[in-house]
Amino acid sequence: QVLLQESGPGLVRPSETLSLTCTVSGGSIFSSISYYWAWIRQPPGKGLEWIGSLYYSGSTDYKSSLKSRLTISVDTSKTHLSLKLKSVTAADTAVYYCARLSAGPDSSASTADSWGQGTLVTVSS
Amino acid sequence: DIQMTQSPSSLSASEGDRVTITCRASQSISTYLKWYQQKPGKAPKVLIYDASSLQSGVPSRFRGSGSGTDFTLTISSLQPEDFATYYCQQSYTTPPTFGQGTNLEIK
């Protein structure tokens, strides 16, 4: 059973870079072509927003409005998924989740079947 | 991006009630639709995928239906643990997008 856990600073100053890590245990990020990985955020009291994905191929997709500021990558151990969001503002305050999604072309794909517990990041001076 | 609109935004019901939540997509998404349940302070949990397929371990009182642009999640007999917020999500196109959520409260 795969377990995901997010970690990182809970407070980031405006204009700085938000950096988070998702530790994957019970398997590596590239252990199966059947899955890919995503970061999803949730501003306080609001709904869920997909912000980016990393695929088995190593390629990435980013939310268009964040593309210029966002980088998602994996470390050499293949067990840590990283998120870096530059030049943050108060609008980036949210609980950030990492999630595992099923891959494939059919309608059952892109189901987020495993989630981390989430980490709250507040952008404030 | 495909917009997902849920109704109602909030709903009050009693234990044992049957409730239905609706999700509408801004364009046809076939059955590329999932439903999630989220409790306060917790990560979402998938209930339904492929519009009507029950995720392993999810009670059979949860039922999803629909295709194209209109979808429903029905809970046949509400249990205390079902009071939560529910989200739909489309995966027909990237980016995957979520509905705004339906908060199911105890009456």
Side-chain angles (χ1 to χ4, degrees):
Chain A
Q1 178 191 358
V2 69
L3 294 176
L4 290 72
Q5 181 154 353
E6 304 88 350
S7 59
L11 179 66
V12 181
R13 307 286 185 208
S15 81
E16 295 187 346
T17 297
L18 182 163
S19 295
L20 296 175
T21 298
C22 173
T23 300
V24 177
S25 54
S28 79
I29 289 169
F30 295 129
S31 61
S32 173
I33 198 170
S34 298
Y35 298 104
Y36 67 99
W37 307 84
W39 286 97
I40 295 165
R41 70 182 182 181
Q42 185 171 35
K46 295 190 178 179
L48 300 162
E49 177 187 33
W50 172 87
I51 61 173
S53 295
L54 181 139
Y55 302 99
Y56 182 84
S57 63
S59 64
T60 52
D61 263 330
Y62 300 135
K63 185 176 176 69
S64 56
S65 61
L66 299 176
K67 202 168 187 175
S68 63
R69 299 194 290 128
L70 180 62
T71 302
I72 294 173
S73 61
V74 62
D75 73 347
T76 53
S77 73
K78 310 292 192 287
T79 59
H80 296 89
L81 183 71
S82 138
L83 175 152
K84 293 189 188 299
L85 184 63
K86 301 186 296 187
S87 304
V88 296
T89 70
D92 296 310
T93 294
V95 174
Y96 285 76
Y97 294 100
C98 60
R100 185 184 77 170
L101 288 79
S102 53
D106 58 58
S107 55
S108 64
S110 296
T111 299
D113 65 356
S114 295
W115 297 68
Q117 84 283 0
T119 187
L120 174 62
V121 178
T122 301
V123 178
S124 175
S125 55
Chain B
D1 298 359
I2 295 177
Q3 287 215 335
M4 307 300 292
T5 304
Q6 289 181 231
S7 60
S9 296
S10 64
L11 176 60
S12 294
S14 301
E15 188 177 332
D17 284 354
R18 175 188 177 96
V19 299
T20 297
I21 299 168
T22 297
C23 178
R24 175 164 288 177
S26 60
Q27 67 180 73
S28 178
I29 59 170
S30 183
T31 58
Y32 288 67
L33 191 283
K34 299 86 171 71
W35 289 98
Y36 297 87
Q37 176 193 68
Q38 186 179 34
K39 296 183 179 178
K42 300 295 187 182
K45 169 189 163 185
V46 61
L47 303 173
I48 302 285
Y49 63 93
D50 195 20
S52 59
S53 297
L54 199 64
Q55 180 75 359
S56 175
V58 174
S60 59
R61 63 181 180 273
F62 291 93
R63 180 175 174 269
S65 64
S67 67
T69 59
D70 295 313
F71 302 87
T72 58
L73 174 69
T74 300
I75 311 172
S76 58
S77 177
L78 278 172
Q79 299 301 301
E81 60 269 28
D82 299 337
F83 292 96
T85 300
Y86 293 84
Y87 294 94
C88 61
Q89 175 227 325
Q90 67 80 22
S91 61
Y92 189 73
T93 61
T94 298
T97 46
F98 294 86
Q100 81 280 14
T102 295
N103 184 25
L104 177 55
E105 300 174 318
I106 300 173
K107 185 183 286 184

